[in-house]
Amino acid sequence: MRTIVHRHLGKVVAGAAIAVAGTAVMVGITLPGSAGADDSGGGNGAGQTSQQAGQGKDQAQGAVQPGVVEEAPAEGDKGKGRDPLTDDETERVEKLALDQQLFRSSENVEGDKGPQRITVDLAEPDESELDDPNAPRRAEVSFYDYKDDSLVTKTVNLDTGKVEGTDTQHGVQPPLSRAETVEAAQLLIADRLGAGLKADFKDSTGKELTSPDQLLLNSMVYRANAGTPAALADCGKHRCLRLFVKAKNGPWIDSRDLVVDLSARKIAKVG
């Protein structure tokens, strides 16, 4: 059946080619006579034919012109109203919120001077400003201070550049930042309890696990509960987490029975 169809299509294509060739011959014979008739009326026939052919070509070209994709406009240095914070605003508000006193008295996840930045978000307007289209834009910057396990949140007025409020809380555990998750993985790789993780990584990839850069990482805050081992009793007050680990271009590796206490920089096993 396939051969018959191919042969039939071949005949159709051949017939169409003959028809086109025949039409071309007819056009070749007819055009000179038509041109001669037009010439007798003023000699413009050839010119009109060329012009029409040119217009047809232009129309054909216009029909197949590729679409033009315009680049997105460059982001301005300042948003308006409830627009998300721009990159410039985010950088500026973090600098405004991190004064010298906070920098000198705090520590980040690696134990260096300065608190660990957690989030920078657009702040909600005050109730009195809800219907005001010209209400000032404010941002909330949150830091975690590993020196005393506190969450410090500062509200910055983007119009005036002033810090309008500071809130310090203990026992509050916001979502973990990327830097904290990477540091937890580094601690786990270096700890004796990370031996199982490294063995599973080598079995699945054939390579030694030496750096968090070899992993895709997710994390979740861990809080102590009734069945928590004594070594993790401070989790909730301390900054603790569980890691969810996947080898890059490889499988998931189960490490859910291990908890990293970032405040104490220790690893403990649960379950």
Side-chain angles (χ1 to χ4, degrees):
M1 181 65 182
R2 180 185 293 255
T3 304
I4 293 172
V5 171
H6 283 183
R7 288 177 178 173
H8 178 67
L9 289 175
K11 291 178 181 180
V12 172
V13 173
I18 293 170
V20 171
T23 303
V25 172
M26 292 177 64
V27 170
I29 295 172
T30 304
L31 285 178
S34 300
D38 290 338
D39 287 344
S40 63
N44 293 328
Q48 289 175 352
T49 302
S50 300
Q51 183 178 2
Q52 290 169 356
Q55 289 175 347
K57 183 178 180 181
D58 290 342
Q59 290 173 355
Q61 290 177 344
V64 296
Q65 289 296 315
V68 177
V69 179
E70 295 185 2
E71 294 184 2
E75 182 181 51
D77 60 354
K78 183 177 179 181
K80 296 181 180 179
R82 301 300 300 162
D83 289 346
L85 295 170
T86 66
D87 290 342
D88 286 346
E89 286 178 319
T90 299
E91 183 179 354
R92 176 171 172 256
V93 78
E94 184 179 354
K95 290 180 179 178
L96 291 169
L98 185 56
D99 56 48
Q100 286 299 313
Q101 181 180 353
L102 177 59
F103 178 78
R104 291 171 181 169
S105 65
S106 60
E107 291 182 0
N108 65 17
V109 68
E110 296 178 1
D112 297 329
K113 276 188 178 293
Q116 184 65 48
R117 192 193 83 166
I118 304 299
T119 58
V120 180
D121 297 311
L122 189 69
E124 293 295 327
D126 295 338
E127 289 186 10
S128 61
E129 299 171 344
L130 290 175
D131 297 325
D132 183 1
N134 298 315
R137 280 167 63 81
R138 299 182 179 88
E140 288 185 348
V141 187
S142 62
F143 301 99
Y144 196 87
D145 181 1
Y146 277 88
K147 191 168 186 177
D148 66 355
D149 281 297
S150 62
L151 178 67
V152 181
T153 304
K154 295 202 174 191
T155 303
V156 180
N157 187 315
L158 285 162
D159 294 339
T160 64
K162 294 181 179 179
V163 176
E164 296 184 339
T166 300
D167 181 53
T168 303
Q169 297 175 290
H170 293 85
V172 177
Q173 298 296 332
L176 294 141
S177 67
R178 171 68 181 170
E180 291 172 302
T181 300
V182 170
E183 182 65 16
Q186 185 66 66
L187 290 173
L188 181 55
I189 291 170
D191 194 271
R192 63 179 181 81
L193 289 177
L197 171 64
K198 290 187 285 187
D200 289 343
F201 183 88
K202 187 169 185 179
D203 287 344
S204 61
T205 66
K207 300 177 181 179
E208 299 289 342
L209 176 59
T210 59
S211 168
D213 292 339
Q214 297 169 269
L215 304 170
L216 297 177
L217 299 166
N218 284 305
S219 61
M220 184 173 65
V221 169
Y222 177 86
R223 291 177 175 275
N225 53 47
T228 298
L232 299 172
D234 288 332
C235 288
K237 175 184 176 182
H238 283 186
R239 189 83 159 142
C240 301
L241 61 89
R242 270 178 165 157
L243 285 170
F244 301 90
V245 179
K246 184 181 184 300
K248 286 186 176 179
N249 302 315
W252 287 94
I253 301 174
D254 192 356
S255 60
R256 290 173 296 174
D257 61 339
L258 300 174
V259 173
V260 182
D261 184 336
L262 285 170
S263 300
R265 300 184 70 78
K266 294 180 179 180
I267 316 293
K269 198 168 185 176
V270 296

